[in-house]
Amino acid sequence: MASGRVFVVFLLPVILSVLFGSAVMADILDKPDRELNMWPMSYSDGVLSHSSSIEIIGLSKQYSTSEPVEIQIKINDSSFDCGDLYVTIYSAGKSDVITQGGFFEQCFVKGNQILPIGDKFSKAIDIPGNYEIVVDMVSKQLKNISISGTFSVK
């Protein structure tokens, strides 16, 4: 008698929930233009690297050891207004961080401004070699847009 109550109280609701959920999912996925996206924050949804959406302005292919790397960023996607901008320079091929700059609360759509607003990214690298610069913009909705470029220091 007790095993019948355990079945009715604990197992029957689980079985019915799984059956009902499966029926609902099958009905939803059976409709055209529907897809199952279990990871809404996935790499493919959150990261864009189209040159039309973000671009690095002022990056040269070669610098001298006494010349600073000075760049600005232009973003053409208004969904990234008011976010945090990160600029990182890596040693090419080694993934060692050489320098990094963070610029917070960059709101640019109203003035159609170049980033970083009221500041500039300028870093001198005194060790000759090849480097990669990566620019990431993270919106308040936690979307990420990124672009990278390479340069050398002689």
Side-chain angles (χ1 to χ4, degrees):
M1 186 79 164
S3 65
R5 289 183 187 166
V6 170
F7 178 76
V8 170
V9 172
F10 294 108
L11 295 178
L12 187 61
V14 171
I15 293 170
L16 291 176
S17 295
V18 169
L19 289 174
F20 180 71
S22 298
V24 169
M25 290 298 289
D27 184 52
I28 289 173
L29 292 175
D30 197 34
K31 295 180 182 173
D33 297 332
R34 296 288 272 191
E35 64 181 45
L36 181 62
N37 187 1
M38 297 294 288
W39 304 105
M41 293 299 291
S42 70
Y43 180 78
S44 62
D45 289 339
V47 176
L48 301 173
S49 60
H50 303 294
S51 60
S52 62
S53 297
I54 183 171
E55 62 183 281
I56 299 173
I57 300 171
L59 181 64
S60 298
K61 292 291 179 191
Q62 186 174 343
Y63 293 91
S64 68
T65 55
S66 61
E67 182 183 7
V69 177
E70 292 183 354
I71 63 161
Q72 294 180 312
I73 310 303
K74 181 169 175 116
I75 298 177
N76 298 320
D77 189 343
S78 63
S79 66
F80 288 93
D81 186 26
C82 291
D84 298 333
L85 179 71
Y86 302 97
V87 180
T88 309
I89 297 178
Y90 297 94
S91 178
K94 296 181 184 173
S95 298
D96 294 333
V97 175
I98 303 302
T99 187
Q100 186 174 37
F103 306 93
F104 304 108
E105 295 295 320
Q106 298 289 302
C107 299
F108 60 90
V109 169
K110 289 182 182 175
N112 197 17
Q113 297 175 337
I114 303 295
L115 302 177
I117 298 172
D119 205 347
K120 67 179 179 175
F121 180 83
S122 177
K123 299 291 180 183
I125 299 174
D126 56 358
I127 301 171
N130 294 321
Y131 297 92
E132 179 181 15
I133 188 165
V134 178
V135 177
D136 292 302
M137 180 71 171
V138 181
S139 71
K140 287 189 176 185
Q141 294 79 24
L142 298 179
K143 287 179 164 180
N144 185 19
I145 189 170
S146 180
I147 192 168
S148 64
T150 58
F151 63 93
S152 63
V153 175
K154 301 228 176 188

